[in-house]
Amino acid sequence: MALKLDDFIHDLTANRGKNDELSPAARAAICTLVATGKSQRAVARQFHISDSPVRATIKHWKTYKSFDSKKRSGRKQVLTRAEKRYILLLIKKNQDLAKKALVGAMGKKVSYSTIKRCL
C-alpha cells in the first residue's frame, strides 16, 4: 500500500479554508519538496496555493528555523479565566445583582461592558 504524494498533500490541506494559514506539517512538506529540487511554483501548484505562501514559508524557515506561526500581538485581556468564571458564579447566585455591585465585586477597575462580554 504505497502512499502517493498527492494523497499526502491532500490530507495535509483537506480542511484548510481559502484564507486559513498553513499547518506546521504542510509548511514542513513545502520546505522538504523545495529542498529536494522542486520549483516553488510546482510546489504551489501541488498544494493549490499561490507562489507567495511558498516563498514566505521558505523565508520563515530560513529566518526562524521553525514551522510554527509567530505569536500574534494584541491587547491583553483585562479579566482572567478565573475572574470570568467568578462573574458567572455571581450571576447564577443572584440574577438581580445590580451593575455597580457586579463591577465593585471584581476588586479592580473593570467597566460594565467588559463584564457584559463575559456573559
Side-chain angles (χ1 to χ4, degrees):
M1 184 166 100
L3 181 68
K4 294 180 182 175
L5 183 60
D6 290 335
D7 294 338
F8 177 69
I9 291 171
H10 181 267
D11 290 344
L12 283 177
T13 59
N15 293 328
R16 186 177 156 293
K18 183 177 180 182
N19 290 325
D20 290 348
E21 65 181 47
L22 294 167
S23 68
R27 291 178 184 161
I30 286 171
C31 287
T32 303
L33 289 172
V34 171
T36 58
K38 279 203 164 203
S39 70
Q40 292 179 10
R41 186 167 291 171
V43 172
R45 270 193 232 110
Q46 274 191 310
F47 277 83
H48 303 288
I49 57 177
S50 63
D51 299 351
S52 61
V54 174
R55 283 192 303 274
T57 299
I58 293 166
K59 182 179 178 182
H60 185 84
W61 170 251
K62 287 179 180 177
T63 306
Y64 300 105
K65 299 292 185 216
S66 172
F67 297 118
D68 297 326
S69 298
K70 293 191 300 184
K71 185 178 183 286
R72 289 172 172 81
S73 62
R75 188 179 179 120
K76 302 287 186 235
Q77 294 282 320
V78 174
L79 299 174
T80 63
R81 290 178 75 181
E83 290 169 333
K84 290 177 184 178
R85 282 194 313 266
Y86 180 65
I87 290 170
L88 293 174
L89 179 72
L90 288 175
I91 296 294
K92 273 186 182 178
K93 284 184 178 179
N94 186 3
Q95 291 183 354
D96 298 326
L97 199 59
K99 289 181 187 180
K100 287 187 179 181
L102 195 56
V103 170
M106 290 312 302
K108 63 180 176 180
K109 188 176 180 180
V110 178
S111 70
Y112 177 70
S113 60
T114 300
I115 293 175
K116 194 174 169 183
R117 278 191 294 271
C118 295
L119 304 176

